[in-house]
Amino acid sequence: MKKVLSGIQPSGNLCISNYLGAIKNWVKLQDTHECIYLIVDLHSLTVEQKPADLRNRCYSFAAQYIACGINPEKSIIAVQSHLPQHSELMWVLSTLTYLGELNRMTQFKDKSKGKDKSINLGLFSYPVLMASDILLYQADFVPVGADQKQHLELSRDIANRFNTRYSDTFTLPEPYIPKEGARIMSLQDPSSKMSKSDTNDSNYISLLDNPDVILKKIKRSVTDSGTEITYSDKKPGLQNLINIYSSFSDISVDDIVKRYEGKMYSDLKVDLADIIIDKLKPVQDKYNILISDKSELDKIFKIGRDKAAYLSNKTLSKVYRKIGLIKSIK
Ligand code: TRP
């Protein structure tokens, strides 16, 4: 089976765009691929975190992965920091990465814009750690959003460079772009994507929002001043709501538009809120059970770590041998 690897940073709140854009596909891929899903806590450190929040979010994100359908018996669910191999391989890869390449990363440029003294080295070397995550497991496919494609291309370039210099070692990873699935945009500003780290929580619907909050956020979401329900780029707010509706209900955009002919925006909004509430209910129920037992989650992390360690040790020892590091005796 081909390998799939992906990860989410435990920062902010997992929201419906993470579900529709990533986790929903991760669940499907479990049947056809060997999957590794990481909680990339080391990546989160590039932005200052409150220690207690970070700790809670690692558990919470894992519980949400599982509640959404990631099955720890089928897939590897692992916490990045439980596997020192990630940081070790990162060092080696950093010696094969050029400053010019990292300087070209648009995410780094965006995140460091307007700052000078407070840009930390981790933010700059972030893509090398991501390359390490991917190459360590010899991943064939990496499901990522458009904003991460450049990082994935860098991973390929680094892998290629290593393979050329030292002989074939790394699988060259390819992006996995799901066929369906529209980009989910912010509820208050449909020109930017819905982000789990948005400081304004009216912009997103968290997977753990309660029904009242969901209804309120959808009702208050930005739509244009017209009245007719049509799907067009001229009505980006409404278009976004229809996309969310379609993704959650599996009803096509055309059918939704037909269904709401002559109806008001508010009709669509109320129905959409109901659909989201119904979809999230079983996820939230399962989540509440999982999160109440951290020791069970610790066990899942241990199983994930052991499986991941087996795979990553194989790659790491091969790398160390090929570059000329000597082995220490047992
Ligand atoms: N950088 C990714 C993001 O912010 C998260 C990530 C870290 C990742 N390591 C990864 C994604 C490896 C895919 C594969 O979305």
Side-chain angles (χ1 to χ4, degrees), residues 23 51 58 67 78 87 121 138 148 165 184 193 227 320 330:
I23 302 172
C58 281
S87 310
L121 175 59
Q138 310 284 356
Q148 296 296 316
R165 199 177 292 178
I184 305 301
K193 69 169 200 171
T227 52
Y320 278 6
K330 288 245 162 66

Side-chain angles (χ1 to χ4, degrees), residues 23-45:
I23 302 172
K24 193 176 163 194
N25 288 304
W26 292 6
V27 173
K28 281 196 201 138
L29 286 164
Q30 296 183 110
D31 296 328
T32 46
H33 293 74
E34 188 179 345
C35 299
I36 301 141
Y37 298 126
L38 301 170
I39 293 166
V40 289
D41 53 350
L42 297 176
H43 276 103
S44 304
L45 299 177

